[in-house]
Structures are given as structure tokens and as C-alpha cells.
Amino acid sequence: MAHPAELSAVIVDDHPAVRAGVAQWLSTGSPPITVAASGEDVRVAWTGEGATADVVILDLHLGGPAPALSELRRLAEAGRRVVVYSMRADDEIALQCLELGALSYLTKAEGAEHLLEAAAAAASGRAYTPPSLAGALAGDRSTDRPVLSARETEVLIEWFQSESKDFVSRRLGISPSTVNTHLEHIRIKYAMSGREAPTKAALLARAIQDGLIGVDDL
Amino acid sequence: MSEYRTADGHVHATMRIVLVCATGALQFGLGLQPLLTREYRHRWLAVAAFVALACVTAVCCGWVLRRRPLPAAVAAAGTVLVLAASFGAMAAAAPGQRHAAPDWSFGLVGWHLLLLLLDRVRVLVAVLAAHLVASLGLLLSSGVADRAAFGATGAAAFGAVSVQLAVVVITRVLQRQSQEATAVAEERDRLETRVLLARQWEQGQRSALAGQLGSTLPLLAGLADGDLDPREEDTRRRCALAATQLRRQFAENDEVPDPLVHEVTACVDAAERLGVDVSFAVSGAAVPVPPQVRRELTAPVVTALSAARSRARVSVLRTDREIRIAVVADAGADGVTASTGQVRVEHGAYGEHLRLEARWRTPPS
């Protein structure tokens, strides 16, 4: 896969230490992601260099008591690729973020490895499912949840339980890339259900390009 | 309430047996002799009244001797028959002899009424009063009463009625006392049950604690005696296991909204204190889990965490169908926990990793 230009990110978090740490992690990724802008307010993602960054890394709890879900919705509606990075592991909020069009939801307990993968995936318009989000999807009891195959559910649960794709592939006797394919399929199913968002449509278009699904599957 | 009713029933049943005997004895002891020897205007009517009253007593025996209350229909029919017999007997005597010796019915029917209506006090008092007033009305209407006869009749009536009312009052007093006694006995039973339950609970707690301490006590004894070397890997692992078990057990009785996660968190805390880097995640909403199932679900967590060398992943997943608790740890495969009745435990070694999973199918809600 060719990267025509350097990938860039904007970090929205109310803690300077977190912004600095995330910027440091992103710079060590491969490919490295440069931080176009960062700040404690979501405005930084709408103005200056932040407005054109490939990825928005958004802390859901920006000082206020309520999670910044409306900010997330506005960003997703504008087609921005958002990775939610939250202090709290709350299944319901995680599912709500996916519904609103976030490409990934990570808890801050999940380290650099997952953040880097999520940011790199989001920068190329793909979804990333870290273990905590896999747990939230596996435990999803909502009535309008998409129907997953038995294998997909198994992959979700094993990934949630072990945090290691190698371990999952050993347990289930499949290759790590098949594990990834299952996870991506699951996310496509979620993108096709519920309300529409430009980022979800872009995710589906990307999946068709990647050959994960056919046009007929839509 | 039902106990009170039973207590009332006992008092009434006993009093009725006394009344059946008294009524029978009074009728035959005081009534039979005048019936056979005195002169009557209509002897057949007097005999019929006597037989009717005897029959009422006999029919009542059917229920009274079995200590059963009289059915309402029997009581009503009996009352009507007794009143009819009373006026029949009075009519059978010559007007001048009413309420005198040949009219044996006047004092007697009160006892029959008492027998029939003992548990219906208001009706009883009303019927007794009606009977008394009607009898005195008949006496006055016959117009031949002289003062002495009237006085004698009044005294006889007063005597009979006051003894009968006394029986009613005694019955009420006995009733109240038996109710109080029942209440006291009940309270004592309740207390005894509570004491018994508390003792059982305490014993249960003791034996549970002893069961849980089972592995800890020999370990402590071994360390104290110097039989076990704290530097040895095996001893350290046994200590870790005991510490995690104890920590989980302390958490077991805490009042928290999500006891399962609370207990697993206690295990994770214990492992982290022992230097294991634990990644812990929970998914899905809390569902009620019986304490025994919680114990069985957390047992593999205790085993796997105490065997972990440096890293472990602990996860609790709650779907709409089941609860799955898994531990993936860098440990040997010797930490094995068997499946129990309700909880299915799966374990396996994958290279350097040990994986243990406990699954419990939630009952359909």
C-alpha cells in the first residue's frame, strides 16, 4: 500500500500529558503519523492545520460531565475519521460511538500498540477493533444488533479474552490475517446497521475496494 | 389470624361439650318429672316440645362431640325449633300454671339457645332477650298473675338468664386468654426458629471458612515448622494461591451492586500485589449470579492468577446467554481446575501460556 503523503492527526484531549504521550506514540509508528495540531477543545479539529488532518483522536471526556458525543457526531457528519480514546470502558458508550460513525473506540488502558493500529487504520479509512471494543460487541444485547456468524462471535470473544491475534489464530486454527478479516467483516456489519453516517459509507466503500465485500452484499 | 381463630375454636368446642351435657342433664333432670306427673291442657303438645328439645340437643351432639362448629343452617333451624318448642310447651300448660312447675321449658330453652348460638354472641343475646320478653308478654296477657307468682317467675327468669349470660362472659374471657397464650407461644416459636437459623448460618460460615482455609493452614504450619522453604518456587505459588483465595473470600460477602466483578477484581488485586501485570476487562451488564456459582466461576481465576509468572489477561464477558470468565497467563499448565456441576471449566496450554475459562449458562429470564 502506497502512502502518497505523510499521515497526520489532530489530538483533542484535556490533559497535556496525554496529548504529548499520544503525539510521541504516533511519531514512532510505521508509517509515522505527524501531529498537525492538538488542544483541549474540539475546535482545534475544525481550524487551521487540524481541519485537514487525516485522523481525529478524540477524548470523550473533555472536562465536562457528559461525554462529547455531539462533537463526535458533527465530526463524523463532516466525514472526519475519528478514533475515540476514552478513559472509561463503557460498552454502551462504545457502541454509541460506533453508531455515530467513529472508526475505533479505545480505552486509555489499552496501550500504544492499539492506538497506533487504530490511528493507522483510520487514516486509511478503515475500522479497527481493539479488544475492549470486541468485548462490547460480543456483549451487545441490543435488539437491532447485526447478526454475526458463530465464527465471528468466537473471534470477537477470543480476541477480547486474550488481546493477542496470534493466540486467537492458534486457538481457532486460523491465520492471523483471517482473524483480521473476521473482525473487519463484523465492523462492516455494524456499519451497515443503524443510522447512516458519511464515515460509515466511506468504510463500506473501502471494504468493497479491499475486496472484503461485494457490491451485492450492501 | 388463623391461629387466633383456632384458639377461639378450641374454647368454643370445649364450652359446647359442657353445654351439651348441662342441657341434657337439665332437661331430663328437671323437666322429665313434671312432664310425666303434672296435669297439662294438651299433654301431646308438651311431650312433642320435650322431644323436639331433646332432638335439638342430640343433633348438636353430632358436631359438638367432633369439636366442630355448628353450621349456620343447623344453628338457625335449631333456634327456630327451640323457640317453637318453648311456646308449644308454654301453650300446653294451663294459663294459671305458666312459668310454674309444669312449665319446665321456660328456664331450659335458654341453655339450648346457648348451645346453638355460643359463637354468635349478638344473635344469642337478641334471641334470649326476645324469648324472655315474649314469655313475659304471654304471662301478662293471660291476666291471672298475682304478685307473688309474678315475683317468683321474675326471680326464676333472672336466675336462668344471668347464669346463661355468665357462661357467655366466661367463654369470652377464656377466648381472650387462649388468644394471648397462642400469641405468646407463636412469638416464642418464631424466636426459637430465628435462633436456630442464626446458629445454622454461623455454623455454615465456620465450615465454609474452614473449607477455604483448608489449603492455608497446612501451608502456615509448614512455614512455621520450617518444613517449607519460602524461597522455593512451589512454596511461593502455594502462598500466592492461598492469598488470592483469601482475598476472594473476603470479597464474597461484601454488599456491592456487581458481586461477580467485585470478586474477580479482588483476585486481580491480589495478583497485582504479588507482582503480576494484569490486564482486566469486563463486558456486558451485570446479571444476578448465585453465590455458589460465583465461587465456581472465580475458582479458575484464582488458580490461573496464582500460577502466573508476570503477565495475565483476565476478562469477564456477559452475553444474553452466558457468563464467560477467562484468564490467559504466562504460566505452566499445572493449574488445573475441574468442571463442576453448573460451571464448565476449560483449560489448555498454548506454548508458554495457560488459558483457563469458566462458563456458566445464565438461566432464561
Side-chain angles (χ1 to χ4, degrees):
Chain A
M1 211 183 311
H3 293 282
E6 214 171 43
L7 297 176
S8 62
V10 54
I11 306 166
V12 185
D13 194 300
D14 57 345
H15 291 101
V18 173
R19 294 201 294 272
V22 170
Q24 159 66 21
W25 282 350
L26 292 177
S27 68
T28 62
S30 113
I33 300 173
T34 55
V35 176
S38 70
E40 59 179 14
D41 194 278
V42 80
R43 271 175 301 190
V44 76
W46 293 104
T47 52
E49 284 190 51
T52 55
D54 297 308
V55 189
V56 181
I57 294 174
L58 175 69
D59 178 11
L60 263 197
H61 301 279
L62 295 168
L69 290 173
S70 54
E71 282 84 348
L72 169 63
R73 196 184 61 239
R74 276 196 288 278
L75 287 167
E77 277 168 0
R80 301 297 295 275
R81 295 152 175 177
V82 183
V83 170
V84 175
Y85 193 48
S86 171
M87 200 64 195
R88 271 188 255 163
D90 184 325
D91 293 351
E92 217 168 298
I93 299 273
L95 293 172
Q96 222 172 329
C97 288
L98 291 199
E99 170 77 4
L100 289 174
L103 287 177
S104 190
Y105 180 98
L106 291 110
T107 61
K108 287 183 181 172
E110 287 169 313
E113 178 202 344
H114 295 295
L115 182 67
L116 279 174
E117 289 221 39
S124 59
R126 295 182 179 88
Y128 178 73
T129 309
S132 64
L133 183 58
L137 296 179
D140 185 4
R141 295 181 211 175
S142 56
T143 46
D144 55 348
R145 66 182 188 270
V147 180
L148 304 183
S149 72
R151 192 52 143 186
E152 285 167 346
T153 309
E154 249 179 316
V155 168
L156 269 185
I157 293 175
E158 292 283 346
W159 173 227
F160 170 62
Q161 288 182 338
S162 68
E163 293 185 301
S164 156
K165 284 178 183 164
D166 284 340
F167 197 86
V168 177
S169 65
R170 262 166 97 175
R171 280 268 303 156
L172 300 180
I174 53 179
S175 70
S177 68
T178 313
V179 173
N180 278 328
T181 310
H182 280 303
L183 289 174
E184 283 175 53
H185 263 135
I186 292 160
R187 292 299 304 278
I188 290 161
K189 283 185 177 178
Y190 267 87
M192 288 199 289
S193 73
R195 69 193 282 282
E196 291 193 1
T199 43
K200 289 186 183 177
L203 185 64
L204 294 179
R206 188 84 225 180
I208 294 169
Q209 274 177 25
D210 290 351
L212 280 169
I213 50 169
V215 181
D216 300 340
D217 295 329
L218 293 179
Chain B
M1 272 318 281
S2 64
E3 286 78 5
Y4 293 145
R5 238 174 270 143
T6 323
D8 288 0
H10 281 308
V11 172
H12 283 142
T14 311
M15 288 305 286
R16 263 197 222 101
I17 291 174
V18 173
L19 282 171
V20 158
C21 299
T23 311
L26 284 171
Q27 186 176 350
F28 285 89
L30 300 179
L32 193 58
Q33 199 258 343
L35 180 71
L36 296 175
T37 55
R38 298 292 176 120
E39 288 296 316
Y40 286 92
R41 229 168 21 148
H42 311 287
R43 176 167 294 275
W44 65 270
L45 191 57
V47 171
F50 189 90
V51 170
L53 288 175
C55 284
V56 168
T57 314
V59 168
C60 286
C61 277
W63 281 275
V64 168
L65 296 183
R66 282 182 293 151
R67 302 183 68 87
R68 298 266 176 81
L70 295 175
V74 173
T79 306
V80 171
L81 193 59
V82 165
L83 290 176
S86 161
F87 291 111
M90 211 188 290
Q97 291 182 313
R98 282 191 188 144
H99 301 293
D103 186 8
W104 41 264
S105 73
F106 180 61
L108 181 65
V109 291
W111 292 101
H112 283 89
L113 293 174
L114 202 56
L115 172 62
L116 287 164
L117 300 171
L118 184 67
D119 45 1
R120 297 172 176 87
V121 174
R122 281 186 196 158
V123 183
L124 173 66
V125 170
V127 173
L128 275 178
H131 175 246
L132 191 64
V133 169
S135 303
L136 290 177
L138 265 179
L139 177 67
L140 291 174
S141 68
S142 60
V144 286
D146 58 52
R147 266 171 193 270
F150 192 74
T153 305
F158 180 75
V161 168
S162 51
V163 173
Q164 285 153 6
L165 287 179
V167 170
V168 173
V169 171
I170 289 168
T171 308
R172 300 287 276 190
V173 169
L174 284 178
Q175 242 176 36
R176 183 160 312 156
Q177 283 181 346
S178 95
Q179 277 177 6
E180 280 167 9
T182 309
V184 168
E186 244 173 69
E187 183 57 34
R188 201 189 50 219
D189 283 357
R190 256 202 302 275
L191 274 178
E192 270 172 15
T193 313
R194 234 182 281 166
V195 167
L196 204 66
L197 277 178
R199 268 201 208 125
Q200 270 174 0
W201 184 81
E202 191 194 345
Q203 213 161 13
Q205 290 292 98
R206 269 176 204 280
S207 57
L209 188 69
Q212 296 279 345
L213 285 177
S215 62
T216 311
L217 293 179
L219 184 67
L220 289 175
L223 287 170
D225 297 346
D227 295 343
L228 294 173
D229 183 355
R231 284 165 302 186
E232 269 177 28
E233 181 66 21
D234 185 52
T235 311
R236 283 218 291 267
R237 220 190 40 246
R238 282 176 64 188
C239 289
L241 179 68
T244 317
Q245 269 174 347
L246 283 175
R247 185 72 185 77
R248 192 207 65 79
Q249 203 189 347
F250 293 153
E252 190 178 290
N253 294 320
D254 290 348
E255 288 281 331
V256 287
D258 193 344
L260 179 67
V261 166
H262 182 65
E263 279 177 38
V264 177
T265 309
C267 300
V268 169
D269 283 351
E272 282 178 334
R273 273 171 207 231
L274 295 168
V276 181
D277 179 12
V278 186
S279 150
F280 176 39
V282 180
S283 166
V287 287
V289 186
Q292 181 55 33
V293 175
R294 284 208 310 267
R295 249 169 254 147
E296 293 173 17
L297 277 170
T298 46
V301 180
V302 173
T303 313
L305 282 179
S306 60
R309 276 190 288 270
S310 59
R311 285 184 65 86
R313 162 75 170 177
V314 179
S315 61
V316 177
L317 175 67
R318 296 178 280 205
T319 67
D320 46 1
R321 279 199 299 266
E322 59 179 350
I323 293 180
R324 301 173 65 159
I325 301 188
V327 183
V328 179
D330 55 351
D334 50 354
V336 169
T337 309
S339 292
T340 51
Q342 305 179 70
V343 172
R344 195 149 60 89
V345 180
E346 195 189 307
H347 56 83
Y350 300 86
E352 294 221 312
H353 287 90
L354 166 74
R355 179 181 182 277
L356 269 170
E357 188 186 27
R359 299 168 73 157
W360 180 63
R361 193 164 279 278
T362 44
S365 52

